[in-house]
Amino acid sequence: MYATQALTHLVPLAEELDKNKVTPGVLGFIVFAALAVGVWLLMKSMNRHMGKVDFEETPDPAAAERVESGASSGSAKRK
């Protein structure tokens, strides 16, 4: 099917549209596209910033003592 044939089939459908109906139109599409591009850029920037984060948690001293005391008492029980 050629593009001209497709257009000739769509012309009668276009005449059936209500001309008083409010639609977003081109301006609505431009606003939506701008928002989509803005969100994409923000996500890209967030991923870049999160990649730079070098987070190393310091061990809890109380937990380290529990692990050390548990390891020494556990090995004594095994012998």
Side-chain angles (χ1 to χ4, degrees):
M1 184 185 230
Y2 295 104
T4 54
Q5 290 176 338
L7 288 176
T8 57
H9 290 291
L10 293 176
V11 169
L13 294 175
E15 292 173 357
E16 295 175 9
L17 291 176
D18 185 13
K19 295 184 180 181
N20 295 324
K21 186 176 179 181
V22 177
T23 61
V26 176
L27 181 61
F29 174 75
I30 291 171
V31 170
F32 181 78
L35 287 172
V37 168
V39 168
W40 180 73
L41 289 172
L42 284 172
M43 289 177 61
K44 189 174 177 180
S45 174
M46 181 192 68
N47 283 335
R48 193 176 327 126
H49 284 283
M50 292 300 288
K52 291 179 183 178
V53 173
D54 185 23
F55 177 74
E56 187 174 325
E57 187 174 349
T58 57
D60 186 18
E65 290 174 9
R66 279 184 260 140
V67 170
E68 289 174 3
S69 64
S72 62
S73 64
S75 62
K77 290 180 184 177
R78 290 183 191 159
K79 288 185 180 179

